[in-house]
């Protein structure tokens, strides 16, 4: 099946070719026709399987079918995402595809950590708003926009958006939306909250589950190193140098640790930036940009970056510290091996953590031969 037979707006087709989208991914194949017929959709498909385009392409097509909209503060489509970086990324995909359409579509990404004034000033006439919940509510309280005419609500990383952390903000937002609307939920993983709310939120949805969660990361190679805390830094530098890794995303469990690991790498001649929630938005954006463009080899991140961020050609992810849950593990290691590329995810495991690592692996239905690193000569690293 080809994109040509999906009834997308014809102007999109040459652009898909240009971007090497030769055929729709399984989630795109299922979700696009359903969205075009204005059904609600719950789409579960693994990390890197093209979920973004599976809603961007049909939404843009539907918007083209509408009569030209008057310029006002009424948003047509609302996309909610958990992080600022993801807001930027999803907005970029709407803009990249939207630019070829005959009826111009205005997409804006809004998120906190930057001044609200420029966002307010440029909000007028926006069709598609990609937002983090907190900043969205701020903008609404400033009367910068209206949600009462929203036709479609999209939750990307839906399980995250519907978990406890966002609950109050989400409820506030739901109350401002019109009752009749299209609802689209996309996620790589399911949560209890998502399971329980889907019947409230969705109206006779198409439920697309491409692969079971456990099979999510089957195509990503996993390896594990036994290492004591004091040797993690040297081991990291040893692996990066020995394997000539020129692009690697390292995860730590705290902002302080991310800072420390990045500083140590830089001191040892490996260019690295930290990225986490305690950094200014400017610093976060420039770190991610420097990493994507290859100016720095290593990005040291907290779980802030585990959700949805698409970095082309990222062969390595290293868990300097293990994530708390199997779900976080899926999202972290899913930053590699995207769109069918190869990926290796390495985990550093302290002897006390092996039980936890085994729990994670069991959930993944994976087995990993642990490497003992005690004997590695790490002097000089
Ligand atoms: P997900 O949200 O499922 O984790 P993304 O939507 O971020 O994945 O897409 C992952 C990568 O795959 C992106 O770089 C995107 O451009 C690419 N991609 C999406 N759809 C296709 C396709 N049909 N053919 C080739 N590449 C695609
Ligand atoms: Mg995604």
């Amino acid at each position: 099946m080809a994109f040509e037979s999906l009834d997308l707006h014809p102007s999109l087709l040459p652009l898909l070719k240009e971007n090497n989208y030769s055929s729709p991914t399984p989630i795109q194949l299922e979700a696009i026709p359903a969205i075009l017929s204005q059904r609600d959709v719950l789409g579960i498909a693994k990390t890197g399987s093209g979920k973004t385009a599976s809603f961007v392409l049909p939404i843009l097509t539907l918007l083209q079918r509408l009569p030209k909209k008057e310029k006002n503060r009424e948003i047509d489509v609302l996309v909610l995402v958990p992080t600022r970086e993801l807001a930027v990324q999803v907005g970029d995909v709407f803009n990249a595809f939207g630019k070829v359409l005959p009826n111009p579509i205005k997409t804006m990404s809004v998120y906190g950590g930057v001044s609200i004034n420029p966002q307010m000033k440029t909000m007028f006439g926006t069709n598609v708003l990609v937002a983090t919940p907190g900043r969205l509510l701020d903008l609404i309280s400033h009367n910068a926009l209206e949600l009462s005419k929203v036709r479609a609500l999209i939750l990307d990383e839906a399980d995250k958006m519907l978990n406890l952390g966002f609950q109050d903000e989400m409820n506030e937002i739901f109350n401002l939306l019109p009752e009749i609307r299209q609802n689209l939920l996309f996620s790589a993983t399911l949560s209890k909250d998502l399971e329980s709310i889907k019947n409230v939120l969705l109206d006779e949805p198409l439920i697309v589950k491409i692969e079971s969660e456990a099979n999510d990361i089957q195509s990503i190679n996993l390896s594990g190193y036994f290492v004591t805390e004091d040797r993690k830094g040297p081991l990291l530098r040893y692996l990066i140098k020995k394997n000539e890794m020129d692009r690697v995303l390292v995860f730590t469990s705290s902002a302080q640790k991310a800072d420390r690991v990045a500083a140590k790498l830089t001191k040892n001649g490996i260019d690295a930036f930290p990225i986490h929630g305690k950094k200014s938005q400017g610093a976060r954006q420039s770190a991610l940009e420097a990493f994507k463009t290859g100016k720095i080899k290593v990005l040291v991140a907290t779980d802030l970056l585990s959700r949805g961020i698409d970095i082309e050609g990222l062969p390595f992810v290293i868990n300097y510290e293990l994530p708390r849950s199997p779900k976080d593990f899926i999202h972290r290691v899913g930053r590699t091996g995207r769109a069918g590329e190869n990926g290796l995810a390495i985990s550093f495991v302290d002897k006390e953590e092996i039980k936890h690592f085994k729990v994670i692996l069991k959930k993944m239905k994976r087995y990993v031969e642990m490497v003992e690193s005690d004997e590695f000569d790490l002097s000089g690293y």
Side-chain angles (χ1 to χ4, degrees):
M1 185 88 145
F3 275 113
E4 282 77 4
S5 46
L6 285 179
D7 211 18
L8 291 168
H9 194 282
S11 308
L12 293 168
L13 298 175
L15 194 56
L16 287 166
K17 279 223 172 62
E18 250 172 69
N19 281 293
N20 296 320
Y21 283 35
S22 48
S23 57
T25 64
I27 184 75
Q28 291 164 0
L29 212 49
E30 302 264 346
I32 290 173
I35 297 173
L36 287 174
S37 69
Q38 305 198 26
R39 262 187 94 172
D40 282 3
V41 173
L42 169 61
I44 307 291
K46 69 177 179 179
T47 56
S49 63
K51 293 188 288 295
T52 321
S54 75
F55 60 81
V56 170
L57 299 171
I59 285 289
L60 287 172
T61 301
L62 286 175
L63 287 173
Q64 288 300 293
R65 292 178 186 166
L66 297 175
K68 202 164 180 286
K69 161 184 143 119
E70 269 177 62
K71 281 210 167 179
N72 53 30
R73 300 192 187 283
E74 293 163 355
I75 303 298
D76 295 315
V77 173
L78 176 64
V79 187
L80 293 172
V81 295
T83 65
R84 301 161 185 179
E85 282 72 14
L86 195 54
V88 172
Q89 182 179 301
V90 172
D92 284 348
V93 178
F94 270 103
N95 279 320
F97 287 112
K99 68 172 190 240
V100 295
L101 296 171
N103 291 338
I105 302 290
K106 179 171 172 181
T107 300
M108 263 194 78
S109 295
V110 295
Y111 43 84
V114 294
S115 154
I116 196 167
N117 289 328
Q119 294 178 351
M120 282 177 11
K121 282 196 193 125
T122 42
M123 184 65 61
F124 203 69
T126 295
N127 302 96
V128 178
L129 186 66
V130 187
T132 53
R135 178 51 61 98
L136 175 68
L137 288 168
D138 274 354
L139 284 161
I140 291 170
S141 70
H142 283 86
N143 293 321
L145 64 110
E146 261 283 332
L147 294 184
S148 60
K149 297 282 161 49
V150 166
R151 296 164 172 276
L153 168 71
I154 300 156
L155 307 188
D156 195 14
E157 303 292 336
D159 64 335
K160 180 84 181 172
M161 301 314 297
L162 295 169
N163 85 3
L164 231 51
F166 283 116
Q167 198 177 42
D168 293 344
E169 289 169 337
M170 294 301 282
N171 285 339
E172 226 178 296
I173 295 166
F174 291 152
N175 285 333
L176 296 168
L177 291 166
E179 215 150 292
I180 296 188
R181 58 169 199 260
Q182 189 174 17
N183 297 291
L184 309 172
L185 271 48
F186 285 91
S187 184
T189 48
L190 280 169
S191 63
K192 281 197 199 85
D193 302 317
L194 176 53
E195 285 286 357
S196 60
I197 202 170
K198 71 169 197 260
N199 299 326
V200 183
L201 207 59
L202 300 175
D203 182 22
E204 296 178 28
L206 171 75
I207 298 181
V208 195
K209 212 169 164 184
I210 298 299
E211 277 160 282
S212 74
E213 264 185 78
N215 288 327
D216 241 345
I217 54 162
Q218 295 307 309
S219 57
I220 297 167
N221 293 309
L222 301 182
S223 80
Y225 287 81
F226 273 129
V227 57
T228 51
E229 185 60 37
D230 57 312
R231 282 167 58 91
K232 280 186 176 179
L235 178 63
L236 176 65
R237 298 187 286 275
Y238 169 87
L239 290 175
I240 291 174
K241 286 187 177 160
K242 194 170 139 268
N243 298 304
E244 296 175 355
M245 297 181 177
D246 53 15
R247 194 171 258 195
V248 49
L249 177 59
V250 177
F251 282 104
T252 63
S253 44
S254 71
Q256 292 85 337
K257 194 45 114 11
D259 281 337
R260 244 180 291 149
V261 172
K264 271 281 181 84
L265 284 166
T266 305
K267 208 174 131 200
N268 284 280
I270 301 168
D271 292 334
F273 279 152
I275 185 168
H276 52 70
K278 296 209 163 74
K279 287 264 165 210
S280 73
Q281 193 50 32
R284 278 163 62 165
Q285 244 138 11
S286 55
L288 186 57
E289 194 55 31
F291 187 58
K292 282 188 171 177
T293 53
K295 283 200 192 96
I296 53 160
K297 286 185 181 176
V298 187
L299 196 60
V300 187
T302 56
D303 279 301
L304 174 82
L305 223 71
S306 70
R307 287 277 180 163
I309 297 303
D310 187 47
I311 300 159
E312 233 176 285
L314 174 66
F316 303 107
V317 167
I318 298 182
N319 290 313
Y320 192 92
E321 293 162 302
L322 289 177
R324 238 173 290 155
S325 70
K327 189 175 300 171
D328 290 337
F329 188 84
I330 291 181
H331 288 283
R332 281 185 182 189
V333 309
R335 294 316 100 212
T336 182
R338 298 181 71 71
E341 289 173 359
N342 285 325
L344 171 64
I346 297 171
S347 296
F348 287 0
V349 183
D350 208 320
K351 282 261 155 74
E352 285 91 72
E353 293 173 316
I354 187 64
K355 257 199 182 145
H356 182 49
F357 193 44
K358 282 195 172 148
V359 170
I360 291 174
L361 292 175
K362 197 168 169 208
K363 275 262 172 176
M364 306 297 120
K365 300 202 167 82
R366 294 288 290 269
Y367 172 78
V368 168
E369 191 83 53
M370 294 297 296
V371 179
E372 288 282 355
S373 70
D374 288 4
E375 305 297 317
F376 289 13
D377 181 7
L378 299 179
S379 52
Y381 286 97

